Amino acid sequence: MLVEWDVPIEVDDGTVLRADVFRPEAEGRYPVILTYGPYAKGLSFQEGYPSAWEKMAADHPDAVAGSTNRYQNWEVVDPEKWVPDGYVCVRVDSRGAGRSPGVIDVFSPREVQDHVLCVEWAGEQEWSNGKVGLCGISYFAINQWLVASRRPAHLAAVCVWEGAADWYRDSTYHGGIRTTFWDHWYGMQVSSVQYGLGDAGPRNPNTGVNVCGDENLSEEERAANRVDLGASIREHPLDDGYHRDRSPDWDNVTVPVLSAGNWGGQGLHLRGNTHGYLRAASQEKWLEMHGDTHWSLFYADYGVSLQKRFFGHFLKNEDTGWKEQPPVQLQIRHVDSTFTLRHEEAWPIPRTRWTSLYLDAAHGSLTPEPPATPGSVGYDGMGDGVMFETPPLPADTEITGPLSAKLFVESSTADADLFLVVRVFSPDGTEVTFQGALDPNTPVAQGWLRASHRKLDDELSRPYQPYHTHDDPSPLVPGSVYELDVEILPTCLVVPEGYRIALAVRGRDYVHDGPATRLSNLRNQMTGCGPFVHDDPHNRPAEVFGGRITLHTGGDRPSRLLLPEIPR
C-alpha cells in the first residue's frame, strides 16, 4: 500500500484542502472510496474515541482482526481492508478542520460544494478509474445525501450508513422540538480538532505531524473561523431556507444507494435512512436495517462484506452477487437482543397488517376496539405523563415498520410538547430495552410533536407516517381539543406471548430506570435517549409548555396507536 499524506486539493475559491490517499502499490486505475468530514484524518480512532474503540474490539473482534489498525479513523473505512482489494481510499479534512484551513460551517452549501469538488478531483487522478463511491457513518453519511443531490459526474454509488437526511426533522427539531445534541457535539468532536490548534492539538501517530495544522491560532482567531452552530439552529425554529439548504433535493438523488439504518438510532441514525430510501429518485436503491452500536457493524465482517458487494458491483463491474440482492435486508430483533436476517421486497413491508390499538383513559389500557365511553386523563405538560398498556399478548407478535399515533389533546396554555414512547414489558414487569446506536438502554420506539406544529403535508403524509410542514405554527386555544397525528419512528421487534406493549405519552424525554452511562466522545450522560435530548429552556419555556395537558379517549375522540404487525 502506498500512502500519500496531506495531498493538496485546491477548490474553486482558492482554499487548499488536505487529503490522505491510500492506494495499491501496483500501477493501474482503481475505484475510489472517499470521505470528507471534520473529525481530523490524522486523529486515530483509538486515541480520539477510546471507549467506542474498546467496546467494538470487545464485542466484535472481527472488526479489528486482519489489520494493524494503524490507519483506523472514526466512522470511515479501514484502508488496510480495502486497498488490497483494489480500491483507493481518500480521506479529506473538511474546510476549517484538521489540516484544512478555512471557516467551519457544517453541512452548508459551501461545504457541500467542497465535497463535490473533491469527488471530481478524485475521479480525474491518474490512479483513478473515474468511479468514486462515498462510504462512511453518521457525518460521512449525512453529507452523502447532499453531495448526491449535486450529481457530480464521477460519483458512481453511495453507502449511507446511519446518516440523517432532513436537517430539520431528522437532526435539529424532532417533531418541532429542538434537540441540543449538535451544541454539545460541536464542542466535543469538531472544534476540538479545528485547524489552527497546531502544537496544542494531538499528533498523527503515523507521521508525527500536528493533526490540526502547523499554525498556532489563538482561541479568538479559531472562534472567528467557525460558525456558531447552536446559535444558528436556535435562530431557525421552523423548516426554512437554512434547513432546506442543508437537506437533500430528493429528485436529484439518482445515484445507486445502499441506505443502512439502525433500529436503535432514534435521535439521528434511523429516520434519514428509511425516508431517504423511500424518497430518493434512484432506480437502483437498497435498504438495510440492523441493531447494535452505530459504529461496530460498519467495521465488522458483516458490514464490510455488504459494502464490498455493493461497491464491487457499481465501481468495479464485478459479479459480487449484488444483482440478486433483494431491495430490503432486515435484521429482525428479538427481546434477548439477538437478530434474524430476513429479506423483503419493499418498505414498508407489503404484507403489513396495520393494527390500531385504542387508548382507554378510564383503565390506562390499549384495546383493539375504541372505548364506547369517552374518557380523559391529565398530566403535567413537562412531566412523566401517562401510560397505556395492552393485556399480555396471546401469541408472539412481530412489529416491524413505521408507527404513528392519533391523539386528541387539550392544553391549559398555548402549546404542548408530546414525547411518545412505545415500550415493551416482560411478564415480570421488566422493561425491554436495547443497545441503541449510542445509548445501551434505548426503548422500542420514540416519536415527538409540538402541538402548534400539527399542520400536515397532505401529499407526503400517510396514515402510518404523518409528515408535518413545520412552517406554519398555530398556537392552541386553552381548553380547546385538537386532533394531532404524531410520527413514531420505525422499529422492529418480535414481542413474545405473555409480554405487554405500552404507549407512554410524556411531557419530557424518556428516562430509563437503570444507571446512567457515558461515552468518551459525548458530554452528557446517557439515560435512555443518548445525547439526543430536548432540554433547551429557551425552546421550552415553562410558562408555555408547563401547563396541564388533557388527553381524551373514546367516543368521538378515539385516540389510538397504529402498529405495523407482520403476519407469521
Side-chain angles (χ1 to χ4, degrees):
M1 183 168 72
L2 297 177
V3 185
E4 298 174 272
W5 306 103
D6 277 349
V7 176
I9 304 176
E10 184 173 347
V11 295
D12 53 356
D13 67 350
T15 299
V16 177
L17 307 174
R18 295 290 173 176
D20 293 340
V21 178
F22 305 82
R23 56 190 178 90
E25 194 171 31
E27 290 189 9
R29 293 183 174 273
Y30 302 96
V32 180
I33 302 295
L34 183 141
T35 50
Y36 171 105
Y39 295 147
K41 60 185 176 57
L43 180 67
S44 72
F45 189 152
Q46 299 91 318
E47 179 184 356
Y49 301 83
S51 59
W53 174 266
E54 290 163 8
K55 181 170 179 56
M56 178 179 73
D59 295 349
H60 298 276
D62 56 311
V64 300
S67 171
T68 69
N69 299 303
R70 289 176 55 195
Y71 309 107
Q72 288 278 23
N73 272 189
W74 176 242
E75 300 188 332
V76 301
V77 302
D78 177 3
E80 288 190 75
K81 292 190 176 182
W82 286 79
V83 173
D85 279 357
Y87 291 91
V88 176
C89 296
V90 176
R91 295 174 175 169
V92 187
D93 275 340
S94 59
R95 182 182 294 245
R99 293 184 63 82
S100 293
V103 176
I104 300 176
D105 189 3
V106 296
F107 305 119
S108 66
R110 174 65 262 178
E111 192 179 82
V112 176
Q113 177 66 4
D114 288 344
H115 198 166
V116 168
L117 294 172
C118 290
V119 169
E120 299 298 63
W121 174 87
E124 294 165 359
Q125 299 306 298
E126 60 182 8
W127 34 255
S128 172
N129 73 350
K131 294 184 177 182
V132 178
L134 304 181
C135 183
I137 312 171
S138 193
Y139 196 101
F140 302 100
I142 296 169
N143 60 19
Q144 291 182 46
W145 293 121
L146 302 174
V147 171
S149 294
R150 301 284 187 95
R151 302 174 70 174
H154 291 289
L155 183 62
V158 296
C159 175
V160 185
W161 199 278
E162 299 193 30
D166 186 315
W167 184 233
Y168 189 92
R169 293 163 184 80
D170 299 351
S171 299
T172 62
Y173 287 86
H174 298 143
I177 310 169
R178 187 168 108 80
T179 171
T180 53
F181 165 73
W182 293 105
D183 308 48
H184 303 317
W185 165 85
Y186 203 47
M188 292 291 288
Q189 294 183 228
V190 178
S191 60
S192 60
V193 288
Q194 184 178 0
Y195 178 86
L197 274 168
D199 297 333
R203 289 185 176 271
N204 186 320
N206 294 295
T207 65
V209 304
N210 292 333
V211 165
C212 303
D214 298 322
E215 284 193 85
N216 293 291
L217 302 181
S218 68
E219 170 54 31
E220 291 75 17
E221 291 173 307
R222 295 198 306 276
N225 283 340
R226 61 178 183 262
V227 170
D228 187 334
L229 180 61
S232 298
I233 293 170
R234 194 177 302 115
E235 291 166 3
H236 297 275
L238 301 179
D239 186 18
D240 57 10
Y242 166 81
H243 285 92
R244 288 190 288 274
D245 281 346
R246 290 157 178 78
S247 300
D249 179 346
W250 293 115
D251 290 341
N252 279 344
V253 179
T254 57
V255 69
V257 174
L258 170 58
S259 180
N262 190 318
W263 299 123
Q266 293 152 8
L268 189 65
H269 302 113
L270 169 57
R271 186 183 188 277
N273 287 105
T274 54
H275 273 252
Y277 170 75
L278 290 172
R279 298 200 63 192
S282 307
Q283 295 300 305
E284 298 175 293
K285 56 184 180 180
W286 290 263
L287 176 68
E288 186 276 343
M289 295 296 296
H290 55 266
D292 211 299
T293 55
H294 92 111
W295 61 91
S296 296
L297 291 186
F298 176 86
Y299 293 93
D301 290 348
Y302 171 82
V304 174
S305 173
L306 192 71
Q307 296 153 27
K308 285 186 177 180
R309 288 176 55 228
F310 174 71
F311 283 120
H313 177 76
F314 287 106
L315 271 58
K316 301 173 76 173
N317 296 319
E318 291 181 344
D319 182 6
T320 65
W322 196 260
K323 287 183 178 180
E324 289 74 46
Q325 177 74 13
V328 176
Q329 177 169 313
L330 305 177
Q331 293 287 346
I332 303 301
R333 186 167 59 179
H334 302 272
V335 294
D336 62 356
S337 296
T338 61
F339 295 86
T340 304
L341 178 65
R342 192 174 76 212
H343 294 104
E344 299 287 349
E345 291 303 314
W347 178 266
I349 298 172
R351 66 182 184 282
T352 300
R353 181 187 299 136
W354 298 104
T355 302
S356 290
L357 295 177
Y358 293 90
L359 283 61
D360 184 345
H363 302 95
S365 59
L366 291 173
T367 62
E369 299 295 332
T373 303
S376 65
V377 60
Y379 64 91
D380 179 354
M382 300 183 80
D384 290 333
V386 293
M387 191 164 70
F388 303 83
E389 297 180 292
T390 66
L393 297 182
D396 293 358
T397 304
E398 180 185 333
I399 305 298
T400 299
L403 305 84
S404 69
K406 182 182 289 290
L407 302 178
F408 292 83
V409 172
E410 69 174 288
S411 172
S412 65
T413 66
D415 215 336
D417 283 346
L418 303 181
F419 295 74
L420 271 56
V421 187
V422 176
R423 307 171 72 178
V424 169
F425 294 90
S426 69
D428 67 3
T430 302
E431 183 176 8
V432 177
T433 60
F434 299 95
Q435 171 63 64
L438 294 172
D439 200 301
N441 290 300
T442 300
V444 173
Q446 295 191 75
W448 310 265
L449 183 65
R450 176 157 290 178
S452 60
H453 287 227
R454 61 191 177 276
K455 179 183 174 183
L456 293 171
D457 183 316
D458 292 334
E459 181 180 349
L460 294 175
S461 291
R462 302 291 182 269
Y464 54 81
Q465 193 168 277
Y467 187 97
H468 299 88
T469 64
H470 296 297
D471 61 358
D472 185 22
S474 180
L476 308 182
V477 175
S480 296
V481 179
Y482 295 87
E483 180 179 341
L484 308 179
D485 292 285
V486 186
E487 177 185 16
I488 302 175
L489 301 191
T491 192
C492 174
L493 182 62
V494 178
V495 186
E497 176 184 349
Y499 282 59
R500 290 172 291 124
I501 297 172
L503 174 67
V505 182
R506 300 171 55 86
R508 61 181 179 180
D509 284 308
Y510 166 87
V511 177
H512 183 256
D513 292 337
T517 60
R518 187 185 293 275
L519 283 172
S520 58
N521 58 298
L522 299 177
R523 178 170 297 172
N524 61 302
Q525 290 189 323
M526 295 188 292
T527 57
C529 295
F532 309 109
V533 294
H534 307 81
D535 56 358
D536 180 354
H538 301 288
N539 184 252
R540 302 191 68 220
E543 60 270 21
V544 177
F545 297 97
R548 187 70 177 170
I549 308 303
T550 303
L551 179 59
H552 294 268
T553 68
D556 59 356
R557 293 167 176 165
S559 294
R560 59 110 170 114
L561 169 68
L562 186 65
L563 295 178
E565 184 177 346
I566 308 302
R568 296 175 109 180

